[in-house]
Amino acid sequence: MQTSSPSAARGAALITGSSRGIGAAIAKALAAEGYSVCINYIEQKEKAYRLVEELRESGATAIACQADVADPAAVEAMVSHAREELGRITLLVNNAGIAEQIQFQDITPEKWNRMFSVNLGGCFNTIHCVLPSMLSAHDGCIINISSIWGSHGASCEVAYSSTKHAIIGLTRSLAAELAPSGIRVNCVAPGVIDTDMVQVLGKDTLDMLAQEIPLRRLGRPEEIADTVVHLSKATYTTGQVFGVDGGFII
Ligand code: NAP
């Protein structure tokens, strides 16, 4: 029965960009922790609904919702739908993101703006929508997914790296502002994680990268999810950035 399930105790988690990759692993881990979860996607409807099915079969409460996180109206509609179906969102994970390997002089204003609208604007849009209910409850947890390129420079990823630096700034400043309201804001900075996003680099480059990583392998999406679960419970931790990168940045 839904009312006696652990989901009722934990509340609802919205994970943006959770139809696949790191977001899907986070959604699975949070569902296993007893959250009811809202899976967000932009294009891959089939993958999102397959994940919902899988989670429901395991006894979790899950819904899927299409929304471009860069679109404030779409995010508002998604958050209201999630609230109607799952109740108050107590945990928000801003994971949706896009990346592109491109030299700086080839970045058009449109590409630059889209990168910022999705990676940074997406965080703004979701936080704006979930914050009022977190403030009223004097309780809430926000986890933003940045990158190792959010604290170090990345050749041919200037736009991506700039958005990921900004996400760390957003995390720290918002954490300072919201701590007195009982809301924690933290950040995870993954290294090279084996998902669709990095396949564009090709096998040879990925193998080479793996050899440069002190732990000598790429990360698994589940290893990012483990840190998100930890942060969801870390009640005295806010404004922090957690590197999960196999020692890439020490
Ligand atoms: P991925 O495999 O490319 O998956 C991206 C996810 O984001 C998909 O669920 C996709 O939905 C969704 N998405 C993309 N644009 C969206 C939008 N405008 N609105 C809503 N959803 C959108 O990426 P990933 O590797 O799992 O990365 C997840 C996060 O981790 C990103 O923020 C990324 O920057 C960060 N990260 C990844 C790595 C890495 O090595 N993989 C390293 C550091 C940081 P659809 O399935 O519908 O397309």
Side-chain angles (χ1 to χ4, degrees):
M1 265 190 2
Q2 295 300 339
T3 46
S4 61
S5 76
S7 304
R10 289 280 188 172
L14 167 62
I15 307 102
T16 65
S18 44
S19 43
R20 56 198 167 93
I22 293 170
I26 294 171
K28 285 184 203 176
L30 291 175
E33 285 291 312
Y35 284 93
S36 48
V37 295
C38 178
I39 308 298
N40 160 247
Y41 67 99
I42 183 164
E43 282 174 354
Q44 304 268 346
K45 182 175 182 179
E46 207 175 300
K47 285 192 178 157
Y49 278 91
R50 211 179 304 139
L51 178 56
V52 164
E53 211 48 49
E54 183 188 326
L55 294 175
R56 287 182 180 166
E57 275 165 19
S58 73
T61 303
I63 61 167
C65 204
Q66 196 276 345
D68 177 353
V69 292
D71 176 351
V75 170
E76 198 176 341
M78 169 171 68
V79 168
S80 350
H81 179 63
R83 203 176 286 134
E84 273 163 30
E85 295 289 318
L86 307 174
R88 190 175 76 80
I89 294 167
T90 57
L91 173 58
L92 166 67
V93 183
N94 280 311
N95 167 78
I98 52 172
E100 187 177 11
Q101 298 266 319
I102 183 170
Q103 289 195 329
F104 184 75
Q105 67 268 26
D106 294 331
I107 305 174
T108 60
E110 291 72 26
K111 280 178 186 280
W112 179 268
N113 291 336
R114 179 66 184 161
M115 189 75 75
F116 270 83
S117 300
V118 174
N119 292 5
L120 184 62
C123 298
F124 174 83
N125 292 332
T126 53
I127 294 168
H128 236 238
C129 289
V130 302
L131 201 51
S133 66
M134 287 186 175
L135 286 168
S136 316
H138 204 83
D139 173 55
C141 177
I142 298 170
I143 300 171
N144 301 317
I145 307 298
S146 177
S147 164
I148 42 172
W149 306 133
S151 56
H152 288 67
S155 167
C156 296
E157 291 198 81
V158 175
Y160 178 77
S161 174
S162 300
T163 65
K164 294 299 182 178
H165 273 77
I167 288 172
I168 291 177
L170 168 84
T171 301
R172 291 184 173 139
S173 301
L174 197 62
E177 184 171 322
L178 296 180
S181 303
I183 300 163
R184 295 182 301 109
V185 189
N186 288 293
C187 187
V188 180
V192 188
I193 310 301
D194 194 5
T195 67
D196 295 343
M197 183 174 271
V198 299
Q199 300 315 314
V200 64
L201 296 173
K203 190 180 176 318
D204 290 351
T205 306
L206 287 174
D207 287 347
M208 217 172 61
L209 268 171
Q211 288 318 303
E212 284 173 23
I213 296 167
L215 284 177
R216 297 285 185 272
R217 64 173 177 83
L218 306 191
R220 294 185 286 271
E222 294 74 23
E223 291 171 320
I224 306 303
D226 286 346
T227 301
V228 169
V229 167
H230 165 72
L231 286 172
S232 72
K233 299 176 188 173
T235 50
Y236 201 52
T237 300
T238 195
Q240 303 305 307
V241 182
F242 285 77
V244 185
D245 59 11
F248 203 111
I249 303 234
I250 293 179

